Amino acid sequence: MIKRLLLLLLILSSIVIQAQNVIDTIQVSTVQAPLKISETGRSISIVTAEQIERWSVTSIDEVLQQVLGVEIQSRGGFGVQGDILMRGSTFTQVLVLIDGMKMNDPLTGHFNSYIPLTLAEIERIEILRGAAAAMYGPDAVGGVINIISKTFSNIPEGVHMNGALNYGAHKLLNAHQGFTLKKGAATIGAGFALNQSEGEFFSEEFIDSTRTLSAYNNYFDLKTMGFSFAYEFNDNIRLRARSSFDHRDFGARYFYTTSVFDKSTEIVSNWWNHFQLQRIHHSGSTDFNLAHKYNTDEFIFSPDFPSTNNHVSQLLNMTLNHLHSFNDRILIKAGVQFDQRQIESNDRGDHQDFHFGAYAMGVYQSKGLNLSLSLRTDYDENYALEFAPQINASYVFPSLVLRASAGRNFRAADYTERYVSNNLQNLTPGRSLGNPDLLAENGWSEEIGLDYKISDSWKLSTTVFARQSADLIDYVSTNQSEIGSVSEVGSLQAGANYFFAKNISAVQTTGVEFESNMSWSLAGENQLEWNLGYTYLNTSNDEDVVSVYISSHARHLFNTNVMLKMDRIDLSVSGLFKERDPRFSSSINSNLENSYTVWNARVGYKLTDHFGLNFQIQNIFDEQYQNILGARMPSRWILGGVRWSL
């Protein structure tokens, strides 16, 4: 009751407070063309480095959880693992970029939040909601998240250093350090992050008269480090490069199954390299990008019997883009993309695929009217040829922006959906099973919205959207006899049921988003910022097929955060409310509740201009909840330490 009263108080307070200063001056790069948010015709949010530093967060997925319309289905706290959903998408239908380059893992979308970048290295995060396949190709169905590092941005000259060191419950060690030096034509940057704990102890639970579940700790040891470099040869030629490494060792019990035999552990390593060469001229720019991702995964289902799966996946991605501005009204951008995906796996086999894409985009601006049209075609060995058009429009009044967008989207199956368990012998019933014959998902997305500026610093936004999808991919309980008639996969037991990957013919998603952003100055340099977001989603399937992921998203999602900066005190409070379909597993006596509410808080105190104390509480009211059935989320954790910024 107290938590809901606090939630109501935040909503009511946001309606009556008057304010003074909201920003729409940043040119976003996620729409490919250099446009302000109001000119894009899209629903876009920006998270700045300053907000990340002040929020009560310890990982990138906790940052994204603060953003309107982004649902993080975490399997553990502190960034262990989380699926990213937007606008009713599945976790495979959100495109994640680092400095504009695709990093979605070819093995499985469960790895898309394994982002090899530390919080201290981030300049800003751009979140575009809705389809963007016409700009970026496959996977950009529910939205695009572009994480932009400081080295790939135009930061001011000088030395910039910030970090934190915290110790907390269950022997938690939380630390991050970022460093950027820009002097003359050269910029270098580096970062390191650590989240490490023995984990929370979950006691033995009684199941029935003959069985109990053994006690366990969901330990985690997460490390990220990176180095980046930039050099401006002259006013026209720029070179940028990044190399970073992310290593994760964690307990994964009930992350993927609700089997009583599940005692999973997992070790995942991710090495990311990106090279960019850019030429800037008086009427535009040309850039060449080459990125390579190398991922290893060792998954042990149980130490009680042979159950180790080893995977190595690689993604080689190359893009060439050219921007030309004819005048202050018309610009065009065109580009090509090539990538090659590869996997070596003991349970999925060895496979590789080639992909090619080409796009063209035109922008027209005149007296408040902004129109953009994108056309893209993609060829993939998995799905042959796909074509994606997109049109965006906005009209900017002094205090009001009207916007609309419509476009086609598509996504191909990843290696897990196509081949999981195909190499295993005598596969036990109830296991997930890949389907090599899957078609590409496709559909159309539409949205209309408005942004209304009540004052210089208070903006309200609302968007109504819809998506009509065909051939969506999900796992459906299917009998062996039916599977055998579709595809020769695996070594199956006669008459047994398996969760077989299928194309579900037609799914409709509708929803509405509401957002309030406020920021105003108090006495002196004191500042108060208040953000509120609400998303409603409804997904329906004409065939009424019961599947695993398609309707697992929240029906009602509310998030809010308040930041107060006053003299030497820095206060941040964030809240999240989620309502979704409940689920229950009798095998492990686990319950996915219909709804939950979680509050986090952080208090910082400056001892000097560059050094201060930090105190955080994650899950203030000790809510017992799960995002994924069986995977318990952390209860109340308290941590504290020091922060610095130079």
Side-chain angles (χ1 to χ4, degrees):
M1 184 63 180
I2 294 175
K3 290 177 279 187
R4 284 180 168 76
L5 287 174
L6 283 171
L7 200 62
L8 180 61
L9 178 61
L10 290 179
I11 298 173
L12 293 176
S13 299
S14 70
I15 295 173
V16 299
I17 293 176
Q18 297 299 315
Q20 287 135 40
N21 210 1
V22 170
I23 308 171
D24 181 38
T25 57
I26 297 177
Q27 287 188 331
V28 293
S29 58
T30 306
V31 291
Q32 294 282 21
L35 299 171
K36 297 178 182 178
I37 294 177
S38 60
E39 299 169 342
T40 63
R42 305 303 302 269
S43 174
I44 296 175
S45 294
I46 293 180
V47 178
T48 65
E50 182 183 7
Q51 289 173 314
I52 294 172
E53 189 174 347
R54 294 170 60 190
W55 284 351
S56 179
V57 295
T58 61
S59 64
I60 292 178
D61 59 359
E62 290 180 1
V63 172
L64 295 175
Q65 192 168 265
Q66 311 270 344
V67 179
L68 167 73
V70 180
E71 181 183 357
I72 304 296
Q73 293 186 346
S74 301
R75 289 173 170 80
F78 303 92
V80 170
Q81 188 185 94
D83 294 339
I84 306 172
L85 286 66
M86 294 175 67
R87 289 192 171 177
S89 71
T90 63
F91 62 90
T92 55
Q93 294 178 329
V94 173
L95 181 64
V96 181
L97 311 173
I98 297 180
D99 295 315
M101 293 299 285
K102 176 179 180 178
M103 65 145 290
N104 285 40
D105 197 273
L107 175 66
T108 172
H110 290 311
F111 292 172
N112 288 349
S113 65
Y114 293 171
I115 299 168
L117 199 66
T118 67
L119 292 177
E121 295 177 279
I122 297 174
E123 175 65 16
R124 69 181 185 273
I125 304 176
E126 299 177 357
I127 300 96
L128 182 153
R129 289 172 281 269
M135 294 180 287
Y136 290 102
D139 300 338
V141 178
V144 178
I145 296 171
N146 190 11
I147 303 171
I148 301 169
S149 66
K150 293 179 179 178
T151 308
F152 279 67
S153 305
N154 296 318
I155 60 173
E157 187 160 317
V159 179
H160 311 272
M161 181 184 298
N162 66 292
L165 176 62
N166 297 293
Y167 185 81
H170 310 290
K171 297 182 181 179
L172 171 69
L173 184 60
N174 161 250
H176 67 265
Q177 168 67 60
F179 169 82
T180 308
L181 168 63
K182 183 174 183 179
K183 186 175 182 180
T187 304
I188 59 172
F192 172 79
L194 172 69
N195 270 323
Q196 185 181 75
S197 171
E198 66 181 9
E200 191 168 355
F201 181 82
F202 295 114
S203 60
E204 193 171 65
E205 289 190 11
F206 178 79
I207 301 298
D208 56 33
S209 59
T210 60
R211 292 183 301 154
T212 59
L213 294 178
S214 59
Y216 65 99
N217 284 55
N218 268 355
Y219 71 91
F220 53 87
D221 185 0
L222 319 177
K223 300 183 181 74
T224 305
M225 61 189 72
F227 176 79
S228 53
F229 173 79
Y231 190 80
E232 299 179 11
F233 292 95
N234 50 49
D235 292 340
N236 303 109
I237 306 297
R238 298 176 180 176
L239 180 150
R240 296 184 176 107
R242 162 173 296 282
S243 182
S244 52
F245 182 75
D246 183 86
H247 180 81
R248 297 168 185 247
D249 182 355
F250 53 90
R253 198 162 188 169
Y254 310 129
F255 276 26
Y256 310 111
T257 79
T258 56
S259 168
V260 70
F261 302 108
D262 191 342
K263 298 181 180 179
S264 301
T265 61
E266 193 162 12
I267 300 175
V268 184
S269 294
N270 177 14
W271 187 27
W272 171 262
N273 294 283
H274 179 193
F275 170 86
Q276 181 189 82
L277 186 63
Q278 184 181 47
R279 178 179 179 269
I280 300 174
H281 46 88
H282 71 281
S283 59
S285 64
T286 304
D287 62 84
F288 169 79
N289 293 270
L290 181 65
H292 181 253
K293 180 180 181 180
Y294 183 87
N295 191 90
T296 64
D297 173 43
E298 181 187 76
F299 176 76
I300 302 175
F301 180 73
S302 174
D304 299 335
F305 47 86
S307 60
T308 301
N309 288 334
N310 287 292
H311 319 287
V312 175
S313 61
Q314 297 189 61
L315 173 64
L316 177 66
N317 191 10
M318 180 180 68
T319 65
L320 179 65
N321 305 286
H322 178 72
L323 173 71
H324 183 82
S325 177
F326 292 94
N327 49 50
D328 58 358
R329 290 188 174 188
I330 300 174
L331 66 85
I332 61 169
K333 188 174 184 180
V336 294
Q337 175 187 352
F338 159 85
D339 60 69
Q340 185 176 34
R341 305 178 301 278
Q342 182 178 346
I343 182 177
E344 299 173 11
S345 169
N346 65 319
D347 89 309
R348 292 158 174 79
D350 299 344
H351 309 277
Q352 67 176 18
D353 296 284
F354 165 85
H355 166 260
F356 174 82
Y359 76 94
M361 177 184 185
V363 177
Y364 174 78
Q365 297 178 285
S366 177
K367 298 179 180 179
L369 176 65
N370 304 277
L371 295 173
S372 63
L373 175 66
S374 300
L375 300 171
R376 181 177 173 116
T377 185
D378 288 80
Y379 174 81
D380 193 289
E381 291 179 292
N382 183 22
Y383 56 76
L385 199 66
E386 290 285 348
F387 180 69
Q390 176 93 31
I391 186 168
N392 309 317
S394 74
Y395 198 93
V396 182
F397 297 94
S399 298
L400 178 68
V401 177
L402 301 177
R403 48 185 167 77
S405 175
R408 189 175 185 271
N409 55 71
F410 61 97
R411 183 190 76 86
D414 59 36
Y415 284 127
T416 294
E417 292 166 323
R418 293 163 64 189
Y419 301 113
V420 64
S421 303
N422 281 194
N423 282 12
L424 300 181
Q425 298 300 311
N426 194 27
L427 193 66
T428 55
R431 291 283 296 270
S432 295
L433 184 64
N435 181 356
D437 301 322
L438 289 169
L439 304 174
E441 300 176 339
N442 64 88
W444 288 87
S445 297
E446 308 86 25
E447 66 179 79
I448 56 172
L450 62 86
D451 308 312
Y452 179 59
K453 189 163 68 173
I454 296 176
S455 69
D456 287 342
S457 71
W458 186 7
K459 185 177 77 172
L460 299 177
S461 301
T462 187
T463 306
V464 178
F465 58 88
R467 183 170 65 249
Q468 305 83 41
S469 303
D471 293 323
L472 282 189
I473 299 167
D474 205 351
Y475 296 91
V476 179
S477 182
T478 309
N479 189 264
Q480 171 269 336
S481 59
E482 184 181 344
I483 295 172
S485 66
V486 175
S487 180
E488 296 295 329
V489 295
S491 174
L492 311 183
Q493 297 181 16
N497 288 335
Y498 298 89
F499 282 102
F500 187 50
K502 288 185 174 182
N503 288 107
I504 298 176
S505 60
V507 175
Q508 297 81 37
T509 301
T510 56
V512 61
E513 296 165 341
F514 172 80
E515 185 174 22
S516 171
N517 301 114
M518 309 172 68
S519 176
W520 64 97
S521 299
L522 306 176
E525 298 183 356
N526 299 328
Q527 189 176 15
L528 181 61
E529 184 175 326
W530 205 318
N531 300 310
L532 296 144
Y534 168 73
T535 304
Y536 168 76
L537 285 165
N538 181 62
T539 296
S540 59
N541 177 8
D542 292 340
E543 297 184 1
D544 197 28
V545 176
V546 179
S547 58
V548 177
Y549 292 115
I550 285 179
S551 60
S552 67
H553 59 74
R555 185 177 296 106
H556 300 279
L557 181 65
F558 177 87
N559 51 28
T560 183
N561 60 69
V562 181
M563 291 180 291
L564 173 63
K565 186 176 182 181
M566 183 171 291
D567 297 326
R568 294 185 175 274
I569 296 176
D570 197 5
L571 172 66
S572 171
V573 178
S574 64
L576 172 71
F577 171 80
K578 183 185 294 189
E579 181 183 301
R580 67 282 169 93
D581 291 335
R583 293 178 62 197
F584 177 73
S585 171
S586 59
S587 61
I588 61 172
N589 194 32
S590 185
N591 189 33
L592 188 73
E593 299 288 350
N594 174 256
S595 64
Y596 70 83
T597 305
V598 174
W599 292 88
N600 302 321
R602 173 188 169 267
V603 178
Y605 182 79
K606 275 191 174 183
L607 298 173
T608 70
D609 288 342
H610 305 292
F611 188 81
L613 302 177
N614 180 67
F615 178 76
Q616 288 178 229
I617 305 178
Q618 306 295 97
N619 194 357
I620 297 172
F621 296 100
D622 199 23
E623 182 87 353
Q624 304 300 305
Y625 70 104
Q626 303 171 18
N627 284 300
I628 303 295
L629 181 61
R632 300 191 197 179
M633 290 296 291
S635 56
R636 182 191 299 115
W637 284 44
I638 299 175
L639 58 148
V642 294
R643 289 198 177 197
W644 55 90
S645 179
L646 303 176

